[in-house]
């Protein structure tokens, strides 16, 4: 696969990094701190887009140097409640209790930014969990420490293996990057040449 520009992944997520590698892209990771606060009035899907765009805005120097920057943000929603990364054990436990035995949505927004490129999109996936016991939740949190994950869980980890009843939409979106849609956008923007 041929790339027309150097790529930067603006994310510390090992899952996003692994997925881009699997896609066959050549990229480097550049990290910058940003405040991920958002206005309260935003709709759920707009929150992820707002944060992904906010992340992109701090990479103007890299963009001006000719790089294409990929930023992303994933949120987990139950009804109208957004579950961010848990602050600690108790919050992670409460989040997983809330997700137990019901469906929730995972929304990932992605921005592709370059000198003459600005494209943002989002993908929504519905995840249905079985009823999780307190012991299962406790075991997962103690062993996996999921404090860097929206909603307090990673679908690819133990809790997903034993708890996910079904999924409607992209699995990789729940992992943190809708790879198929990203691939299609990169081709449409002529950042990569399709095979």
């Amino acid at each position: 696969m041929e790339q027309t520009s150097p790529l930067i992944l603006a994310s510390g997520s090992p899952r996003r990094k692994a997925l881009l590698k699997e896609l066959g892209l050549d990229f480097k990771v550049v990290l910058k701190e940003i405040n991920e606060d958002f206005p309260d009035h935003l709709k759920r899907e707009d929150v992820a887009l707002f944060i992904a765009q906010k992340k992109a805005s701090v990479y103007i120097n890299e963009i001006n140097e000719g790089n294409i920057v990929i930023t992303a943000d994933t949120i987990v929603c139950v009804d109208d409640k957004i579950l961010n990364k848990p602050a600690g054990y108790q919050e992670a436990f409460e989040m997983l209790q809330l997700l137990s035995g019901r469906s929730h949505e995972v929304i990932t927004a992605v921005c592709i930014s370059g000198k003459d490129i600005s494209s943002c999109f989002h993908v929504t996936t519905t995840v249905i969990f079985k009823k999780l016991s307190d012991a299962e939740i406790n075991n997962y949190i103690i062993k996996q420490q999921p404090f860097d994950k929206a909603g307090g869980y990673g679908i690819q980890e133990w809790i997903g293996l034993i708890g996910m009843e079904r999924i409607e939409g992209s699995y990789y979106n729940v992992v943190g990057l809708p790879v198929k849609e990203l691939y299609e956008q990169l081709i449409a923007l002529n950042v990569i040449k399709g095979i």
Side-chain angles (χ1 to χ4, degrees):
M1 187 163 33
E2 182 188 342
Q3 290 180 211
T4 61
S5 302
L7 283 177
I8 288 176
L9 173 62
S11 173
S13 165
R15 297 159 298 280
R16 289 183 182 136
K17 185 177 176 181
L19 289 172
L20 279 190
K21 278 187 178 176
E22 286 294 320
L23 194 55
L25 296 175
D26 183 28
F27 64 95
K28 65 180 179 178
V29 174
V30 177
L31 301 178
K32 296 188 179 192
E33 290 291 322
I34 72 145
N35 179 321
E36 295 189 17
D37 291 344
F38 55 88
D40 292 337
H41 68 275
L42 291 178
K43 294 179 186 172
R44 299 179 322 165
E45 60 274 12
D46 293 334
V47 168
L49 282 168
F50 178 87
I51 296 173
Q53 289 169 329
K54 194 174 183 182
K55 289 176 180 178
S57 71
V58 301
Y59 286 85
I60 194 70
N61 289 339
E62 288 76 10
I63 290 167
N64 287 337
E65 291 167 3
N67 296 288
I68 303 296
V69 177
I70 298 171
T71 58
D73 189 71
T74 300
I75 62 171
V76 173
C77 304
V78 177
D79 301 323
D80 288 326
K81 183 172 183 164
I82 295 173
L83 305 181
N84 295 312
K85 296 171 186 173
Y89 172 88
Q90 188 58 40
E91 193 172 9
F93 192 90
E94 290 168 3
M95 285 181 180
L96 288 168
Q97 278 188 320
L98 183 62
L99 299 177
S100 174
R102 60 173 301 176
S103 68
H104 62 275
E105 285 71 45
V106 178
I107 302 169
T108 300
V110 178
C111 288
I112 305 165
S113 307
K115 268 187 178 179
D116 302 312
I117 293 173
S118 180
S119 175
C120 296
F121 63 94
H122 74 276
V123 175
T124 302
T125 303
T126 300
V127 179
I128 298 94
F129 270 177
K130 72 166 192 166
K131 185 71 177 165
L132 300 166
S133 71
D134 287 354
E136 288 169 334
I137 294 172
N138 183 58
N139 177 68
Y140 171 66
I141 296 171
I142 288 171
K143 289 187 176 175
Q144 299 289 165
Q145 302 282 307
F147 309 125
D148 64 334
K149 297 173 180 71
Y153 79 95
I155 196 74
Q156 72 282 4
E157 295 174 341
W158 185 82
I159 202 77
L161 296 175
I162 64 101
M164 182 183 65
E165 286 194 344
R166 68 182 187 280
I167 188 169
E168 296 168 5
S170 167
Y171 167 80
Y172 293 107
N173 185 54
V174 184
V175 175
L177 195 66
V179 184
K180 180 186 82 70
E181 292 81 0
L182 174 60
Y183 174 74
E184 290 169 350
Q185 280 291 307
L186 290 172
I187 290 173
L189 295 166
N190 202 34
V191 174
I192 61 173
K193 307 283 188 189
I195 295 172

